[in-house]
Amino acid sequence: MLREVSPSRILIGKLYRGEDLLERLTAVCREKGVRLGRIEAVGAVERARVGFYDQRMRTYGFFDFGGPMEILSLLGNISLKDGEPVVHAHIALSDAAGAAFGGHLAAGTKVYACEFLIQELAGTELHREMDEATGLPLWKE
Ligand code: ZN
């Protein structure tokens, strides 16, 4: 599958201490009507919840990391699931010793500070549907 899209609006903003990182980024997309796009962010979190997809079991395992951490990189995309914008993002974090780790961003990650950029894309919308080969909600052809 391959689509050609064009750059559209760029939104830049910040989140506030205590907000849920994934839920707020998703809310921004819904509030601003972004249905297709890319997203990036840097900042810091008070705690994090990330997932790792067990390909054999076909289920997500979730890890909770406590303590202050830097957001080294949050990268993701915005597409549609059940007609609503969803953010699929992966996050790399670092601890006080500089050790890095991360995963599939899940709800439950609390913002300390966050600066984000959302690039809206113009083109045919992408809809997520369950993919039999992986058990994941992937983009429909
Ligand atoms: Zn993922």
Side-chain angles (χ1 to χ4, degrees):
M1 191 207 97
L2 180 65
R3 300 272 176 83
E4 188 167 334
V5 297
S6 305
S8 183
R9 291 181 296 170
I10 295 178
L11 307 171
I12 189 165
K14 70 174 185 178
L15 302 181
Y16 296 90
R17 187 174 183 186
E19 290 183 325
D20 187 286
L21 182 56
L22 180 61
E23 289 178 357
R24 274 304 300 149
L25 291 174
T26 302
V28 168
C29 293
R30 293 180 181 191
E31 286 161 14
K32 301 304 287 184
V34 177
R35 296 167 67 82
L36 181 65
R38 56 186 289 268
I39 188 163
E40 62 185 59
V42 292
V45 296
E46 295 178 345
R47 59 187 167 87
R49 184 169 174 77
V50 301
F52 179 86
Y53 190 67
D54 185 321
Q55 297 176 8
R56 191 175 57 82
M57 298 299 290
R58 291 185 163 221
T59 182
Y60 271 100
F62 290 94
F63 302 91
D64 289 290
F65 299 108
M69 289 163 283
E70 296 290 320
I71 302 172
L72 302 179
S73 176
L74 179 153
L75 279 180
N77 57 56
I78 300 139
S79 59
L80 300 175
K81 188 176 174 193
D82 301 323
E84 290 290 320
V86 291
V87 172
H88 177 205
H90 288 193
I91 189 168
L93 300 158
S94 69
D95 64 17
F101 46 89
H104 173 100
L105 179 64
T109 299
K110 291 291 174 221
V111 171
Y112 184 76
C114 177
E115 299 165 350
F116 66 89
L117 186 147
I118 294 169
Q119 163 94 67
E120 184 181 49
L121 299 170
T124 308
E125 291 174 343
L126 289 171
H127 296 263
R128 292 191 177 277
E129 279 191 7
M130 188 52 61
D131 173 65
E132 294 299 328
T134 62
L136 289 165
L138 302 181
W139 290 332
K140 188 184 170 200
E141 296 290 323

